[in-house]
Structure formats: C-alpha cells, structure tokens
Amino acid sequence: MAESITILGSTGSIGESTLDVIARHSDRYRIFALTANTQIDKLAAQVEIFRPRFAVINDESAAMALRALLAEKGLDETQVLQGEEGLLAVAGHADVDTVMAAIVGAAGLSPTLAAVQAGKKVLLANKEALVMAGHLFMQAVKDSGACLLPIDSEHNAIFQCMPAGLSEQLSRQGVRKILLTGSGGPFRTTPLAQLPAVTPDQACAHPNWSMGRKISVDSATMMNKGLELIEACWLFDCSPDQIQIVIHPQSVIHSMVEYIDGSVLAQLGNPDMRTPIAHGLAWPERIESGVASLDIIATAQLDFEAPDFQRFPCLRLASEAIQRGGTAMAVLNAANEVAVQAFLQQRIRFTDIPDIIEHALAQVAIVEPQTIAIVQAADAAARTVASTFIAETLAVIT
Ligand code: NAD
Ligand code: MG
C-alpha cells in the first residue's frame, strides 16, 4: 500500500520540491495532508492535484476562504482544519506514515514534535525545531522509536557518508570528524563597507540555491551554517569541536565525513533539494528525484576556504551559544528570527542582525531546558528583548 504522507509547510520551497518528487512516484506515495500559513490559492491548487484528506491553514478567516474555494472547485472531500490544533492533528494522525517537517522557524516545533512523539518517519527540514529543543527532541525520538531522517542537504550528505545511521557515537563508528560545507552565501567577497547597505533582495539572491527568504538571509549572514552546526551536533551526537566548517563556494560537495584511517567520504550532487528529499522519502532505497546528472567535467573546479568569523559574526554567536548550552540556542534562534524578519521588512540594516542576537543572548536568562514549556518561554523572552531593542535602539530605515 502507498505510504501516507503529511507535508507541513507544503507551499514553501521544500514543500513544493517534496510534491515534485512525490508526483513522480504516485505508486509509492499518497498525500494525506497539506498545510500552509497564508497562501490559500497555492494550497488549493495543490489540493486539486494531490487530493489530500486534510488541508490545514493558519487562521479562521483563511480556513473559511479555503473551504469556499475548495467547494467552488468541487474539492470538498478535502477537510479543512486550522491553526496549531490542525497541524498537530495531521502530524500525529494514526493513518500517517511519514511527515515532512518543512515549516520555517519556531512555528514548526510543536507539529514536528507531535510527529516524533507519534513515532512517525520524520523528514526534518525545519532545522529551527532541533536548534531550539535539541535535547528534548532527540529524547522524544528515542522514546517513541520515530525514524528521523535529515533533509538539510549537508546533514543528509553526512548521513549518507555515515556507516550506521544517526544513533551511534562518532568515535564508535571510527569517525574522526565531520566536515560541514557551506557556500559562504552571496556576500562571501563583498567589501565589508558595503554590507550595511545591502538590500533584502540582494541577501536573498543566493549564488547556488533557490530557497525561502528566511533561510536565504540566514545563508547571507551565515547564521544558517551556525544553526546547521547545532543541528549536526544533535543529529550525530557529537560536540562542535568534532565538526569543521568548510567554505566551498560551488556547493557541489554537500558535506564530508573523515574516518580514523584517513578516508574522507563526500556526497556530491547538483544543488537541488529534491536529491536529499528523495533520499529521505525512499531510504534505504533510492528513487528518481528529477535532479539532473552532475556534469563533473563542467564543474571543473572545487574550492575550499576557512570560514571568516569577522565577516560573519553570526557564526561566532552560534558557536558560543552551543558552548553555553541550555536555552542559549533557543534564544539565539528566536532573536535571529525576529532580526531576519525586521531586515526583510527593511526596518533594520543587514549588519544589525548579529547585534540584535548578541543583545538577546546577553539579556535573557539561560536555563536548563527541562521541558518544552521552558524552551518556549526562552523563545518568547528572546523575541520580546529583540523586538524592544529594535524599536528603541535601531534607527528605522526609510
Ligand atoms: P519557505 O518560507 O519557502 O516555506 C515555509 C513554509 O512554512 C510555507 O509552506 C509556509 O506556509 C509555512 N509556514 C510559515 N510560517 C508558518 C506558521 N507560522 N505556521 C504554519 N506554517 C507556516 O521556507 P523553506 O525555504 O521551504 O524552508 C522550510 C524549512 O526548511 C526551514 O526550516 C529551512 O531552514 C529548511 N531548509 C530549507 C532549505 C531550502 O532549500 N529551502 C534547505 C535546507 C533546509
Ligand atoms: Mg543546509
């Protein structure tokens, strides 16, 4: 019988790529539920093609509008749910086998955890959920027996280069270190003096990957690599000093694993998220993803550089947060989300982003994250501190 799939965040970049792969394999997969924040028309168009049992949208007025639209198209067999309650219902539903966690940001934590707690196969794109609540998240995976598969391209690459999945400690697998690659984003060589004036569109113009706007800004500040460092520590049960960040501008190698015998395994491919998505969907089998064959001759050159912590202070802040532990990572993540949103709305400069995060990390008390409620309280406190700092201290750009 076909595998039953919920896509949390189906209207986003990862959501659409997931549907693209699934559409190639209607014999293997069927869509159980699709969810979106606000994009009613896009969600309705997806419902029309994939005919899910449920569609979830964020608020009540959007749900009413979606119901009307689906009725108009004769698609009322799809039931419309709303808000977090709806997300939790379709993430943990007994009839679901696999959940693609592709909501952006902290909003994805609760539904992703619900899928984990229900013991689903969870394809994790929503790195923020793991950054915020890594310890509790991984404990929930152990307790429920959920199958957690990384979709972030670097983590998926590392997973593919590992001998025995995620659960064993690195040293027991003969691994010396992980080499986490990153392109360096659109501002890798931009003169530093120009960075305060860069626009959201410039920040979102990633040289190799096409992605949602939040992760695109994270790539430009390299907070994305910082979040990925934290993500890798939780997924592969290791410390940050076992991970070397390597700048690799071509994004052809997606990460590497070095073994104690000196072997270094790398996963290569075109920068297209359908490869890790197809890998996660079919694992341990392989399926077609629609990604073009890598033209290694045309690629010709692969470059590597050390990361520049001066140019990218967010990288330093993420490293410090993981060393500090506790709720520092939830505070880092929440302050970053507030700062990135303010930058995208042109309320602050690009170079204000790390200052806001640093301020929040200095102001919010860091505690042991013993429960999800504690993590959520840290997240809320960091959002308040960051928003106040923006409103009171940073000039509004006109
Ligand atoms: P996106 O902005 O394109 O899409 C986000 C999705 O989440 C949309 O469907 C949106 O409707 C939904 N959403 C947003 N806010 C929500 C809320 N408050 N409640 C419910 N739903 C909400 O983002 P994306 O680029 O697809 O990224 C999704 C996740 O995957 C992020 O965590 C990102 O870091 C991670 N990721 C993305 C890529 C990529 O290539 N795009 C690569 C690696 C990891
Ligand atoms: Mg990545």
Side-chain angles (χ1 to χ4, degrees):
M1 219 174 72
E3 201 171 314
S4 169
I5 299 185
T6 284
I7 303 181
L8 302 170
S10 65
T11 53
S13 167
I14 293 288
E16 288 193 297
S17 292
T18 306
L19 287 172
D20 182 279
V21 176
I22 285 175
R24 295 164 194 275
H25 302 282
S26 52
D27 52 327
R28 285 185 77 119
Y29 308 108
R30 72 186 154 80
I31 296 293
F32 178 82
L34 297 173
T35 88
N37 193 18
T38 52
Q39 290 183 287
I40 298 169
D41 291 336
K42 205 180 211 179
L43 185 57
Q46 293 178 341
V47 167
E48 191 160 14
I49 299 169
F50 293 94
R51 306 294 172 109
R53 206 150 115 200
F54 294 101
V56 186
I57 193 96
N58 215 356
D59 65 36
E60 191 173 345
S61 62
M64 278 169 59
L66 181 62
R67 272 187 207 106
L69 193 56
L70 293 184
E72 205 177 284
K73 292 177 179 232
L75 299 169
D76 23 22
E77 274 182 22
T78 295
Q79 204 181 322
V80 175
L81 307 177
Q82 77 192 51
E84 187 168 277
E85 206 180 315
L87 293 175
L88 296 178
V90 299
H93 197 287
D95 294 345
V96 172
D97 302 307
T98 298
V99 174
M100 164 58 83
I103 290 175
V104 60
L109 176 62
S110 297
T112 305
L113 255 188
V116 166
Q117 284 160 346
K120 305 299 182 194
K121 177 165 122 188
V122 178
L123 309 183
L124 184 71
N126 178 208
K127 66 191 85 183
E128 295 91 345
L130 196 55
V131 167
M132 290 172 73
H135 176 68
L136 295 166
F137 193 105
M138 295 310 286
Q139 191 57 48
V141 171
K142 275 195 197 116
D143 292 347
S144 69
C147 173
L148 182 66
L149 294 165
I151 298 304
D152 211 344
S153 58
E154 296 77 5
H155 305 73
N156 183 269
I158 295 162
F159 180 67
Q160 292 197 45
C161 297
M162 285 284 189
L166 299 176
S167 56
E168 283 287 309
Q169 278 202 328
L170 294 190
S171 55
R172 271 189 260 134
Q173 303 187 81
V175 172
R176 183 180 284 149
K177 67 176 177 187
I178 288 170
L179 294 102
L180 179 68
T181 57
S183 69
F187 304 138
R188 185 174 59 89
T189 57
T190 306
L192 287 180
Q194 290 177 17
L195 289 183
V198 299
T199 65
D201 284 346
Q202 287 170 321
C204 290
H206 196 281
N208 308 328
W209 296 95
S210 156
M211 311 180 286
R213 282 172 85 77
K214 192 267 178 180
I215 184 177
S216 295
V217 176
D218 285 348
S219 298
T221 61
M222 284 203 74
M223 178 55 92
N224 185 48
K225 215 45 57 185
L227 299 177
E228 290 184 356
L229 177 70
I230 298 171
E231 184 185 13
C233 287
W234 290 119
L235 283 173
F236 303 108
D237 191 15
C238 64
S239 65
D241 53 18
Q242 292 172 290
I243 301 174
Q244 180 183 359
I245 295 176
V246 180
I247 304 303
H248 165 47
Q250 291 90 357
S251 301
V252 167
I253 292 180
H254 300 308
S255 277
M256 298 172 259
V257 174
E258 181 180 327
Y259 288 82
I260 49 175
D261 60 6
S263 296
V264 180
L265 302 192
Q267 187 260 357
L268 285 72
N270 285 317
D272 186 323
M273 288 306 293
R274 290 176 301 175
T275 294
I277 290 167
H279 177 264
L281 278 169
W283 182 83
E285 294 172 26
R286 297 273 179 175
I287 54 171
E288 294 261 3
S289 66
V291 175
S293 177
L294 175 67
D295 186 342
I296 199 85
I297 304 289
T299 302
Q301 195 175 332
L302 300 177
D303 295 312
F304 305 96
E305 298 166 9
D308 182 345
F309 285 78
Q310 304 277 294
R311 173 180 288 273
F312 299 113
C314 286
L315 214 43
R316 170 180 59 80
L317 291 168
S319 304
E320 286 170 7
I322 191 166
Q323 298 290 355
R324 214 166 145 194
T327 49
M329 289 163 277
V331 170
L332 172 97
N333 178 67
N336 181 57
E337 285 190 28
V338 171
V340 169
Q341 195 187 25
F343 170 67
L344 285 172
Q345 294 168 341
Q346 296 185 283
R347 291 189 284 123
I348 61 164
R349 291 168 304 187
F350 181 73
T351 43
D352 292 330
I353 294 172
D355 294 347
I356 293 162
I357 300 164
E358 187 144 38
H359 178 77
L361 280 163
Q363 294 295 312
V364 178
I366 305 303
V367 297
E368 276 308 308
Q370 279 149 344
T371 62
I372 289 295
I374 293 174
V375 171
Q376 281 164 338
D379 174 277
R383 282 172 200 273
T384 304
V385 168
S387 304
T388 308
F389 185 65
I390 291 169
E392 290 178 356
T393 319
L394 298 172
V396 176
I397 306 171
T398 49

